[in-house]
Amino acid sequence: MQQVEPTSIPTTTPRTIPTDIRHQFRQQDIERAHIAQRHHGPAGPRFDDEAFLVSEVEKWVHRCSTCTQRGYDDAHEMWRCGFTGAGGASREIQANKDWMKMVRGKVQYANYTAHFPCGMPQHICPLGDHHADHSEEVQERCRGYRTVLIPMVAMMGKGPQRDAEVTQRWYQRLASRGVVDPERNDEGLIQYFGQRAPGTAQKRSQLTEEFIWLRRAYDGREKCSD
Ligand SMILES: [Zn+2]
Ligand SMILES: [Zn+2]
Ligand SMILES: [Zn+2]
């Protein structure tokens, strides 16, 4: 079964949800991860990855890490960031936003590894379950996830404020996993992002694995405003 991804980026301005509601949602989704674990048996250290994924993604919903790092107002999505910088910086920022949109339009997740609109594991996104209610809160949850996974991987891996040493290690990791020339080979990298991550008790895509890896690599390298 081939899933088709809409190529357009949503143009509506997202509603801002109050912080206390967001934290409540975060707890609910962490609990969803716990329930999934009870259904499918112990996942060992992999479960820690999943709880980490949910809590890290939650931190960046509707926030722009570029502006967080610069100390600017960061209450907007990364691919809408209005910060342009000057000269070469401006071109690099635009190129990174273009890359996010290109990846979003092209990635094809292996069946059952992701809720296609947002990329999160199907058992984590509350819209990923076929029993899901479609309340405004639930849809907002999925929209929030959409703003984080690909933009954050783009920012951390290739963005203008990337840590050169982390990026170098990331490219080595990708090459060791079969992505030929990951720095320039977008097609190969996008194909890899959509694959099922091996060895995970809960199905998820390689994109989520790269998000987890990059977040851990950056841990302690940046001040956290959360
Ligand atoms: Zn910004
Ligand atoms: Zn079900
Ligand atoms: Zn979703």
Side-chain angles (χ1 to χ4, degrees):
M1 185 179 68
Q2 195 75 354
Q3 292 166 304
V4 178
E5 167 75 336
T7 52
S8 64
I9 302 299
T11 51
T12 52
T13 306
R15 291 182 313 121
T16 304
I17 8 180
T19 306
D20 56 330
I21 305 275
R22 284 176 45 174
H23 281 248
Q24 184 188 330
F25 276 141
R26 181 196 304 195
Q27 278 315 311
Q28 285 173 359
D29 282 2
I30 290 171
E31 179 59 21
R32 287 169 68 83
H34 279 280
I35 290 166
Q37 184 195 20
R38 283 199 294 274
H39 267 299
H40 299 278
R46 288 292 169 181
F47 172 70
D48 295 339
D49 286 352
E50 196 148 273
F52 181 77
L53 170 70
V54 172
S55 66
E56 284 297 310
V57 165
E58 183 59 39
K59 278 183 198 167
W60 295 100
V61 167
H62 299 315
R63 273 175 73 200
C64 173
S65 71
T66 302
C67 288
T68 305
Q69 286 181 48
R70 291 189 161 99
Y72 298 157
D73 176 14
D74 65 359
H76 53 268
E77 292 156 21
M78 278 168 265
W79 55 37
R80 283 184 228 276
C81 183
F83 179 80
T84 51
S90 165
R91 277 191 297 278
E92 235 190 321
I93 290 166
Q94 188 56 49
N96 196 243
K97 287 198 285 190
D98 291 345
W99 195 82
M100 291 173 199
K101 292 174 190 172
M102 190 264 296
V103 172
R104 234 194 80 67
K106 287 189 172 175
V107 65
Q108 297 274 325
Y109 298 107
N111 284 341
Y112 310 116
T113 60
H115 183 231
F116 213 67
C118 68
M120 286 293 270
Q122 283 183 321
H123 61 280
I124 297 294
C125 178
L127 272 186
D129 190 295
H130 55 103
H131 306 302
D133 76 72
H134 285 66
S135 65
E136 182 60 27
E137 288 76 18
V138 161
Q139 294 186 52
E140 175 64 26
R141 199 85 212 113
C142 181
R143 280 198 291 270
Y145 287 150
R146 280 168 66 128
T147 69
V148 179
L149 268 185
I150 290 172
M152 284 296 284
V153 167
M155 286 298 308
M156 293 187 289
K158 299 174 78 81
Q161 290 169 295
R162 68 189 175 278
D163 181 304
E165 189 259 331
V166 169
T167 294
Q168 193 57 36
R169 282 198 291 130
W170 188 48
Y171 287 150
Q172 284 165 8
R173 164 188 161 84
L174 294 166
S176 77
R177 287 161 175 251
V179 183
V180 177
D181 189 15
E183 185 171 0
R184 280 164 289 268
N185 176 12
D186 287 334
E187 297 297 323
L189 188 51
I190 290 165
Q191 194 190 33
Y192 169 81
F193 283 160
Q195 291 169 7
R196 180 182 172 176
T200 50
Q202 298 295 324
K203 293 187 180 74
R204 54 179 187 259
S205 73
Q206 202 61 59
L207 178 71
T208 58
E209 299 300 285
E210 301 317 307
F211 176 89
I212 291 167
W213 189 91
L214 285 163
R215 285 309 300 154
R216 290 212 165 113
Y218 272 90
D219 237 13
R221 287 171 183 272
E222 60 192 33
K223 65 173 164 51
C224 182
S225 64
D226 196 57

